[in-house]
Amino acid sequence: KITRRAASGADFHVAVSRGALRAFAEEIRRRATVIYNGAEVDRVAPRSTFGISDLGFGKERTALFLGRFEKVKGFDRLFDAAQHLPSNWKIFAHGHGSLQTTIRNPQSAIRIGPPLSHVGDVLAAADVLVMPSRHEGMPLTMIEAWLAGTPVVATPFGFVHEATQMHGPLCDVVPQNPTGQQLAAGILRAAEGRYVTTARDVAWNHYTAAAMAQRWEEYLHAVVERWLCRAEHRTSNVQH
């Protein structure tokens, strides 16, 4: 409701994905523009002083979760998935949230770390990024993994559908409400890296911060042109 009320007073409207257009009223949705987000390349570049051992990953294969430890992000789904992964796999989760207190066993297959300002090191060390979210818009974490060349497994939230329609499959997909076994199978499938090259190329060409800035520059230039035309038209009407 807040979004729709605010949007009703604006002349121009932008959404970060086609799915996000649903926040607008029907009449606004038809004339709104979609400008996709872009990720900072520097944030996903590994730092040469770091190695896998520095991150505590050891020799195990690693599924990485980055984000809030909340049900909306599917954090709770990791517990069941961990029970179905081979013994040489661990799940590393970096973030914070209310569900962190559910992990009390130090021998748990899920290992917890703090939120990260730089994700290049963990993405380079991980075998798979796992995104079992119940709801998502256009997550930059997914774009960052693509840029870093890290395979992704995700639930079929909105942007996954949009990206597939525009570019073809870029990640492995599990059901919207996956069982632990299905999510674990998706992690193992993603680790094969079938979509890594395509996803990296697409991300570098379309979803960097520089590409986003270029889209915004072009859009704002068009907006100013339209505004100037309207102003000129109003002035002409007054003079006549």
Side-chain angles (χ1 to χ4, degrees), residues 7 10-13 26-33 226:
D11 294 311
F12 304 96
H13 305 83
E26 180 70 29
E27 63 275 11
I28 292 176
R29 204 178 303 162
R30 289 193 296 268
R31 51 189 170 87
T33 299
R226 289 166 61 186

Side-chain angles (χ1 to χ4, degrees), residues 55-127:
L55 300 171
F57 282 20
K59 296 180 180 180
E60 297 151 331
R61 304 206 69 183
T62 304
L64 178 66
F65 175 92
L66 298 174
R68 291 184 289 117
F69 301 162
E70 306 291 348
K71 289 192 71 172
V72 69
K73 295 295 185 181
F75 181 76
D76 56 305
R77 292 172 167 170
L78 299 177
F79 296 91
D80 285 341
Q83 304 307 312
H84 294 279
L85 286 172
S87 60
N88 64 326
W89 276 82
K90 293 289 184 182
I91 297 176
F92 277 72
H94 279 272
H96 58 81
S98 62
L99 295 182
Q100 183 168 346
T101 57
T102 60
I103 298 181
R104 298 186 178 89
N105 181 2
Q107 302 302 317
S108 172
I110 300 177
R111 300 180 185 177
I112 298 298
L116 300 172
S117 59
H118 180 89
V119 297
D121 305 312
V122 292
L123 286 174
D127 292 287

Side-chain angles (χ1 to χ4, degrees), residues 58 175 215:
R215 289 191 290 270

Side-chain angles (χ1 to χ4, degrees), residues 31-52:
R31 51 189 170 87
T33 299
V34 173
I35 299 180
Y36 291 101
N37 285 330
E40 291 285 351
V41 173
D42 290 345
R43 198 172 122 83
V44 303
R47 295 174 292 192
S48 58
T49 56
F50 266 74
I52 292 178

Side-chain angles (χ1 to χ4, degrees), residues 154-175:
T155 48
F157 49 78
F159 181 65
V160 172
H161 281 302
E162 292 180 38
T164 301
Q165 289 173 353
M166 292 185 290
H167 311 293
L170 302 176
C171 66
D172 280 275
V173 181
V174 295

Side-chain angles (χ1 to χ4, degrees), residues 61 127-128 151 172 185-196:
R61 304 206 69 183
D127 292 287
V128 176
D172 280 275
I187 290 172
L188 298 179
R189 194 168 59 247
E192 298 172 6
R194 291 178 296 169
Y195 306 118
V196 165

